[in-house]
């Protein structure tokens, strides 16, 4: 893993150096000055406190399964958190990782299909206060200060391990997902083809798409097609 004291964004670094980097190379920093989140949002993180890293995937067979990569990455992060003794880990489709309903990790998938994919992962490690949205960190939960770069190395290895298994045993990943599925059977609101709709989340499909019960039918949506999946309280 290539490490930097500070970068605008680890995903941007990979994008700018994509021709010089190899399949599965990864880039780390604990201070991003222009961290990016999904749907054009910024990814805010206090300098030096959290883990930010990105992994480059150039293997064409894996790039083709990009809808599943975010699912599998989320499962790997969830497995890491459980390994360090954290309970109540959940995955909010397509790729937020929550603990006690609060976000601890965000995953951003970008790339140029079918050539490469960049998996960007931000994990809240030692930041304890979060403004504006419901978030938490490893420190808030296990009360131990971990070194963000070491968390990143462990998570990165697990993500690569899971991604490498993708070809072999897809079924078990999807089965595993239901154990962590935050949205499962919840009433949700979502935006689909420009319309705001309400339905019920009904699990995910083997290709990583979300099943939604809508007007007594099941629709299957990918993360490109649907946005703002929110639970209705
Ligand atoms: C989200 O939940 O909106 C996704 C957040 C992804 C943040 C990570 S941190 C490493 C990588 N570099 C970025 O600029 N963003 C991703």
């Amino acid at each position: 893993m290539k490490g930097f004291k500070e970068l605008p964004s680890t995903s941007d670094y990979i994008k700018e150096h994509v021709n010089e980097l190899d399949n599965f190379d990864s880039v780390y920093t604990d201070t991003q000055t222009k961290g990016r989140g999904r749907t054009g949002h910024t990814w805010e993180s206090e300098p030096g406190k959290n883990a930010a890293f990105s992994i480059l995937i150039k293997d064409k067979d894996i790039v083709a399964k990009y809808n599943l990569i975010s699912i599998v990455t989320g499962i790997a992060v969830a497995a890491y958190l459980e390994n360090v003794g954290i309970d109540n880990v959940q995955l909010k489709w397509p790729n937020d990782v929550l603990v006690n309903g609060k976000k601890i990790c965000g995953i951003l998938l970008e790339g140029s299909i079918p050539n490469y994919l960049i998996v960007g992962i931000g994990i809240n490690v030692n930041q304890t206060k979060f403004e504006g949205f419901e978030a938490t960190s490893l420190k808030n939960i296990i009360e131990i200060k971990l070194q963000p770069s070491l968390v990143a190395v462990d998570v990165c290895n697990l993500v690569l391990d899971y991604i490498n298994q993708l070809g072999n045993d897809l079924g078990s990943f999807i089965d595993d997902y239901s154990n962590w599925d935050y949205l499962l059977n919840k009433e949700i609101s979502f935006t689909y083809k420009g319309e705001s709709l309400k339905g019920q989340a009904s699990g995910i499909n083997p290709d990583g798409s979300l099943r939604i019960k809508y007007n007594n039918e099941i629709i299957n949506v990918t993360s490109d097609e649907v946005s703002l999946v929110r639970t209705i309280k």
Side-chain angles (χ1 to χ4, degrees), residues 9-11 32 35-38 43 53-54 103 106-107 120-122:
S9 151
T10 52
S11 290
Q32 289 191 130
R36 291 181 296 99
R38 289 188 65 230
W43 178 253
F53 64 101
S54 301
K103 185 155 163 171
I107 297 164
I121 303 173

Side-chain angles (χ1 to χ4, degrees), residues 74-221:
I75 292 175
V77 176
Y80 168 84
L81 295 172
E82 291 192 344
N83 286 346
V84 297
I86 295 181
D87 296 328
N88 299 326
V89 181
Q90 287 184 305
L91 297 169
K92 179 168 179 260
W93 185 92
N95 45 26
D96 285 349
V97 185
L98 314 178
V99 176
N100 300 325
K102 295 179 179 177
K103 185 155 163 171
I104 193 164
C105 165
I107 297 164
L108 176 68
L109 241 78
E110 298 169 296
S112 164
I113 314 295
N115 300 315
Y116 69 86
L117 204 63
I118 300 168
V119 185
I121 303 173
I123 303 174
N124 299 329
V125 180
N126 291 320
Q127 182 169 339
T128 51
K129 293 202 179 73
F130 298 90
E131 305 264 311
F133 76 111
E134 290 277 285
T136 191
S137 65
L138 281 153
K139 175 94 191 302
N140 275 351
I141 301 157
I142 54 177
E143 292 173 10
I144 297 169
K145 202 170 164 191
L146 296 170
Q147 197 175 314
S149 59
L150 298 184
V151 172
V153 168
D154 285 351
V155 173
C156 185
N157 287 336
L158 213 52
V159 168
L160 290 176
D161 190 30
Y162 277 43
I163 285 178
N164 272 319
Q165 288 175 45
L166 252 186
N168 311 333
D169 198 6
L170 216 54
S172 74
F173 278 116
I174 301 302
D175 291 349
D176 274 4
Y177 193 89
S178 60
N179 297 328
W180 285 305
D181 190 347
Y182 169 80
L183 292 178
L184 188 63
N185 298 326
K186 288 201 172 108
E187 298 301 318
I188 55 168
S189 61
F190 56 100
T191 308
Y192 181 58
K193 295 182 178 161
E195 271 190 88
S196 289
L197 306 173
K198 289 192 170 86
Q200 188 186 40
S202 309
I204 64 161
N205 294 307
D207 65 356
S209 60
L210 177 70
R211 295 162 63 83
I212 304 178
K213 225 180 262 166
Y214 171 70
N215 273 351
N216 293 324
E217 271 177 48
I218 293 283
I219 55 172
N220 302 307
V221 298

